[in-house]
Amino acid sequence: MEDQLKALPNAPEWSLIVGKIGAGSVYAGIAFFLTAFLLSALASSEKTKKFASLGLIFGSLSMFTAMITLAVLFVNQQFQFQYVFNHSDPTMPIKYRIAAIWSAQQGSFLLWGVSSAIFAVLALRGTGPYRRVYVATFGLFLASICAILAYESPFPIIQELIVNGVVKAPGTGSGMTPALQNYWVIVHPPTIFLGFGSLAVMFAYGLAAMLSGDIKDYVARVRPWALVSVAILGLGISMGGLWAYETQGWGGFWAWDPVENVSFVPWLFMVTLAHGLIVQATKQKWHFTNLVLSGLPFLTFIYGTFLTRSGLLDKTSVHSFAAMDKSAAKILVWLLAFVVVGYTAVLLTKGRSLAKVEQQPTTDEPSLDRESLYRFGALVLSLFAVVVAVGMSWPVLTDLAAHRAQKVEEPLYHRVVVWFFVPIMLLMAAGPFVTWRTMSFKALMVRILNALSITIGLMGFSLLAINHPEFGVHPDTSIRIPMPFGLSVPLVPWMFFLLFICTFAAVANIWRIFEVVKRSKVSIGGFVAHAGIAMLMGGLILSRGYERKEQILIQEGRPQQALGYTVAYTGLKGKSVSDREGKALFDVTAPDGKVTKIEPGLYYYKEGEEDKAMVWPHIDRQLSHDLYFSLHTPILEAWEQPQSFLPGETRTIDDIKVTFEGMTTQGQLGTPGAAFIANMKFTIKGKTYEASPTFKIGEEGDIPMVGSEYRVALHRIDAATKSAEIQIYFNRPIFPMEVFYKPMTGFVWLGTGIFTLGGLLSAFARRRRSRQVSVVEEEVDEIS
C-alpha cells in the first residue's frame, strides 16, 4: 500500500496553500464576526460602531474567500482534499464540479453562511439607528456558522495520503451522488440558500427595533427586504418542486416531504410578515404581531436545520444527510437555543411594553375592511405554518414517544391543507377590492362583480375544454376525494370548485392591476405576485387532480400500450452502460399515428460491489399537457434471488424447471482461467434446453442462452457440498415504465415566474428612498 502511495504524484504546492487559505478564512471569519459582536455590544462612540461594521464586512469577505478557495480546489480537481474526493471525479463536467461545492453538508453550511453574509452587507447601509444591534446580531450568528465550519470543514486533507510529510494526489475521486447530477443542482441550492440567508435580516431588525426602543420606524427599512425574501425563497421552493418533477420520476412537484417543509414553514411566516408590515405602515397597528413575525421565519429555519442535520429525518425523507460532527452539532443546538430563548425574552420584556405604547386604539366590533381581512389572513397563514411544522416534526415526535419514526403521508396533508387553502385563495381574490375604511358587503360585491363574471365565463370555457372529445381531460367521474371527518366528495365538482377559486384569485388581481396602474404603480407588484401564486396553484391542482397514469412492462420486440399510446423499445444511446449521458430509446405512437422519439435517462454506476441503475424521466411538453414517461430500473433477473442446487437436484421456480446434473472443470484448479462448468437442463413451457454456465477464476464466465428468452449465470460454487448457485436473466431486459398524462403543468412554470417577478417589483417599489411615497400612494388607492 505504501508503495502504491509513493507512486502517486505529489500534490501541487499551490493547492495546499489554497486549502490553508480556505481553512484560515473560516477562523478569520470567527475572529472578525466576534469582533463585530463585541464592539457593537460595547459600542460607546461612533468610531467603535464603525469598526464593528468593518468587522462584519471583513468577516463576510473571509467567508467569500473560503467559498472561492473551495471552488478553485474543485475546478482544478484536487482530490487530496477529503471533501473534493468525496464529491467529484475527473469525468464530471466543470458545471457539476462547481455545483459539487454545495452538494453535501460542509459545502451547504458554507453556502448558507455566504448567503447570509451577502444580505448582512447589502442591508447594512440602511440600518441607521438600528445598526448597533443589527451588526451584533449578524456578527454572533455568522460567528456561529463559522464555528460550525471549523468542525464541519471542507478543507481537511486525506491523512492516508500523507507519506513522510509529503501529500500525494490521487488521480480521481468518488464523484457526486448520481441523483444530483442535473442542471437543477447548479441553480436551485444557491437560490434557496439566498432565501434562507435573507431570513436573518428580519430577525436582526426585529431584535434591533426592540432593543433600541423604536418599533415604529424600522418598518420602512425592513419591508423591502421582507418582500425580497418572500420572492427569492418562494422561487427556491418552486425550483425544488420543478427539480423533483423532472428527476424523481413520480410525476409530481410536491410530496410534503419533511425536508421540503423545512423551507416552506419559514416562507409562510415571511408571507404573513410581509402583509403585517403593510398594516403597520398604513394603520400604525400590529406592532407586537410584526415583532413576533420578524423572528419566526429565522427561528423556524434554524429549527428545521437542526432536524435535517441531526439525522432524525434520515429514515423518513427522500433526502439524505451525513451525520454532523458532534462538536458542530452542539454549536448548532446552542445556536438554536440561544436565538429562541434570547428573542423570546426580549420580545416579552421589551417588545410587549413598547407595542402597548405604540398601538393605536381599535374596536372589537366586526367590520369589513382591509385590516380585518389581513388579520384573518394572518391567522390562517400562521395556523397553516404551525400545522406544517408539526407535520415535519412528526417523525421526531413519534420516535421520542414510541421509538419508531413515522412520516405524515401526503394524503393526510391534503385533507388538512384544504382548511387553509380555500380561505387563503378567497382572501387573495376579494382582498384587493376591500378598502381600509369600513365598507358594506354589498359594496364589496359591486366591486368584485366584473372579476367574478369573467371567472364564471372562463370556467365555462374550461369545462368545454376539459370535456372536448379530442384534447379534453375526460376525468374519471367515479373517483371520490377523501375529506376530513371520513367524508368524501366526487372528483369533478371538487376540482371545479378549487379551480374556480384559483381562477377567481388570478382574475381579481389582474383586474386590480388595470384599475390602479395609472394611480398607484407601487401596488402592482403585490397584485402580480398574487396572480402568479393563483396560476401556480391552479397548475398544481390541475396536473395532479386530473392526471391519468398507467404502468407497462416493455421488452424489445414487444410494444405496450398506455393511455392510448404505443411505446416500443428501440435501443440504448451512450458510449457505454456507465455513460452518464446514457439514454434508453423508445418510439411512442400517438392515437393519430404520429410517432415521437423519447429518451429517458439510463446508466449504471458502482455502489460498492453492486451495479445500480440511475434513471431519469422523459417529459414530452405540449401546450395543454405533459406526457410524462417515468422509466424505472430495468428488470434483468428473472428470479428475485439466485438459487442453489445440489448435484442431481430438480426444482421448479417461477415456471422454470431446473435440473443440476453435476459439475465439471477445465484447466488447472487454483490458477487464472481455470473454469467450473455447471451442466444443467431447463424445461420452459414444455421445451427442454441444455446449458452449461461457467465460473472462471480471474475472468468473466460464460452466460449461455436458455431458449430465446433467458440466459443462465453461475454465480458461485460450494466445494464442500458441490452445489451450484445460479441466476436466470432475461435475454432482453424488461423496462418498467409509468406513463402520465399531466394537464396544464405549464401554469406551474408560468405562475412561478410571475410570482417571482411580482415579489421583486414590489420590493423595488418600496426600496428605502421611496418608502414615504409608497405609503401615501397605497392610502390614496385603497381608501378611495
Side-chain angles (χ1 to χ4, degrees), residues 200-470:
V201 174
M202 275 55 68
F203 177 83
Y205 258 117
L207 201 59
M210 290 186 286
L211 292 177
S212 67
D214 183 357
I215 62 171
K216 179 180 178 182
D217 294 336
Y218 89 105
V219 170
R221 300 175 187 273
V222 78
R223 191 174 173 191
W225 299 110
L227 293 169
V228 166
S229 182
V230 169
I232 295 179
L233 185 53
L235 175 62
I237 292 170
S238 298
M239 281 183 171
L242 296 170
W243 185 359
Y245 180 68
E246 291 190 351
T247 61
Q248 290 295 322
W250 52 274
F253 295 89
W254 191 263
W256 299 101
D257 185 85
V259 174
E260 294 172 349
N261 295 336
V262 163
S263 55
F264 187 51
V265 171
W267 183 79
L268 287 173
F269 282 126
M270 275 305 312
V271 172
T272 310
L273 172 63
H275 289 82
L277 292 173
I278 297 175
V279 177
Q280 185 169 342
T282 308
K283 305 293 288 183
Q284 294 303 306
K285 297 181 179 180
W286 289 32
H287 295 78
F288 184 74
T289 300
N290 287 334
L291 291 174
V292 174
L293 292 172
S294 293
L296 276 176
F298 181 71
L299 298 178
T300 52
F301 178 66
I302 297 284
Y303 168 67
T305 302
F306 164 71
L307 285 184
T308 57
R309 309 296 172 161
S310 64
L312 295 171
L313 300 181
D314 283 356
K315 296 180 180 180
T316 56
S317 172
V318 298
H319 303 77
S320 60
F321 301 91
M324 282 186 71
D325 175 271
K326 291 183 178 180
S327 297
K330 288 180 180 178
I331 295 172
L332 181 59
V333 171
W334 277 109
L335 174 63
L336 173 62
F338 185 79
V339 295
V340 170
V341 174
Y343 196 86
T344 303
V346 175
L347 190 67
L348 296 178
T349 57
K350 295 276 291 183
R352 187 163 54 181
S353 58
L354 289 169
K356 288 180 179 179
V357 174
E358 296 289 348
Q359 192 70 35
Q360 295 295 314
T362 186
T363 176
D364 294 331
E365 295 181 7
S367 60
L368 181 59
D369 56 23
R370 177 65 67 88
E371 185 195 348
S372 64
L373 261 65
Y374 276 22
R375 187 184 304 114
F376 180 63
L379 177 63
V380 174
L381 282 169
S382 298
L383 289 175
F384 188 14
V386 170
V387 167
V388 177
V390 171
M392 77 180 186
S393 306
W394 198 247
V396 180
L397 298 175
T398 53
D399 189 45
L400 292 173
H403 303 289
R404 181 184 171 189
Q406 293 181 340
K407 173 185 173 182
V408 178
E409 298 297 334
E410 183 184 10
L412 181 56
Y413 272 109
H414 289 167
R415 294 181 198 178
V416 175
V417 164
V418 67
W419 290 89
F420 305 98
F421 176 77
V422 172
I424 289 171
M425 297 306 295
L426 290 176
L427 286 170
M428 283 176 53
F433 295 97
V434 178
T435 64
W436 289 105
R437 292 176 178 173
T438 300
M439 64 187 302
S440 66
F441 182 74
K442 181 179 179 181
L444 174 61
M445 292 305 298
V446 170
R447 296 194 72 179
I448 68 174
L449 183 60
N450 291 328
L452 191 59
S453 299
I454 293 173
T455 302
I456 293 172
L458 288 174
M459 290 305 298
F461 282 115
S462 69
L463 282 177
L464 292 176
I466 288 171
N467 292 287
H468 193 278
E470 294 183 13

Side-chain angles (χ1 to χ4, degrees), residues 45 84 125 174 185 225 276-277 328 485 496 551 569 624 690 744:
S45 65
V84 180
R125 181 182 176 185
S174 300
V185 77
W225 299 110
L277 292 173
F485 308 116
F496 180 86
Q551 186 166 358
Y569 171 73
S624 63
E690 292 185 354
M744 293 301 173

